[in-house]
Amino acid sequence: SLSDRLTGVLKDLRGKGRLSDADIDATCREIRLALLEADVALPVVREFIKKIKVRAKGAEVHGALNPAQQVVKIVNEELVGILGGETRRLQFAKTPPTVIMLAGLQGAGKTTLAGKLAKWLKAQGHTPMLVACDLQRPGAVTQLQVVGERAGVTVFAPHPGTSIGGGENELGVTAADPIAVAEQGIAEARNKQYDVVIVDTAGRLGIDQELMAQAAGIRDAVQPDEVLFVLDAMIGQDAVSTAEAFREGVGFTGVVLTKLDGDARGGAALSVRELTGQPIMFASTGEKLEDFDVFHPERMASRILGMGDVLTLIEQAEQVFDAQQAEATASKIGSGELTLEDFLEQMMAVRKMGPIANLLGMLPGAGQMKDALANVDEKQLDRIQAIIRGMTPEERANPKIINGSRRLRIANGSGVKVSDVNQLVDRFFEARKMMTAMAGQMGMPGARKNQR
Ligand code: GDP
Ligand code: MG
């Protein structure tokens, strides 16, 4: 997969102390191949590689990151850029109902998405209604009704018993054509005060004039606030021509990538935003209604790079730590020489970054530690700080000397119980061990030196 290849390419850089222009060229060649193999469109690949090269060659030596990490950081930032930078939120109408129309090929995942989106909107306090405008495929209406029932939302549709193309349903809708159903669905939503209407439409197996004409007709009739182009992430190079055809034939305001749970090579995600200029807004990752989320460019980039959110961590750390101090601390962590003084400094820096649990959640494999620390509240951190401040510099530098009588003195001095001091000291030794192990896994500067 793209992720495996990129990870491999970048891993090869890890041992290097300095990167020559030749190293960067070779790396870029590999990245280029990986992207092309993942079906990223050629113009997108060209532009991407050009940016990486210029930035990697011009990069200044940075105290906190080794050259390989620096390339990873650049690749990551450019990936995020290509994926759209920031998540774009849904645009709601000033006067409800907000109309969201789904468009895309047959099998892309529109009907499934209708249910997912409805459930997601409902959880946020909206009152969505689904409108079944796919009258093409037998069973499409029933499928939407099943999905709507699972999501716990109303579905406006021709009655299942009536033959498509005629007859009336229980709401008095004549199922003459999808445009009529769409219009009546919106009117119904307005009357009953649903605040969002999601219009499911028909797709074809391939791009087709009749399909485009029908979708455009529905669009004109319902004047949607959003047209979401639903794209199967697994269709490879065809993603580009399909997106292009829908952009011309119907026009869309956002993209939803589906089937990202599959063996998706990531190419679609990387091409579609860049080529259509429209943001990817949601991602679908399975058949169940819960397998759905807002699309996060940074997360997708990390996923493609296969590195958890380590990069976000590096970035935040950079903002807060002075680079040199960070390097010194990293090498102390790597070699297990961290002192309580460093611990205190780190804690102060970490507190500036935000809730400690969030930060830990970004580390790969830190799930357990995160759980353990999820309950550590800010008051407790204050207490820890007070205890460390109650220690002499010698004690902070060499915590091993903190014996029973010293613990009693520290407890009295900082207004806590001896058991609190015991707990802190124990925890410190444990944390130091864990951080040293983790630094080794992450290839931090100090740890690297140690491993050799
Ligand atoms: P439509 O023709 O565009 O309405 O597509 P459907 O919603 O009927 O989906 C087509 C098939 O893809 C169904 O079997 C869905 O269960 C499946 N599907 C939809 N979204 C996803 C997804 O994100 N992941 C996986 N694995 N399957 C999906
Ligand atoms: Mg459908």
Side-chain angles (χ1 to χ4, degrees), residues 105-113 116 137 143 200 258-261 284-287 291:
L105 292 180
Q106 183 176 318
K110 293 180 294 299
T111 305
T112 311
L113 173 71
K116 291 177 174 184
R137 201 159 56 86
Q143 189 195 346
D200 187 27
T258 63
K259 312 195 188 178
L260 278 172
D261 52 312
S284 211
T285 52
E287 301 198 54
D291 304 329

Side-chain angles (χ1 to χ4, degrees), residues 414-434:
S414 46
V416 299
K417 284 182 278 181
V418 177
S419 61
D420 291 328
V421 179
N422 289 341
Q423 202 188 11
L424 168 66
V425 173
D426 288 350
R427 229 195 238 164
F428 165 74
F429 283 121
E430 235 170 71
R432 184 162 81 176
K433 222 164 72 187
M434 193 155 16

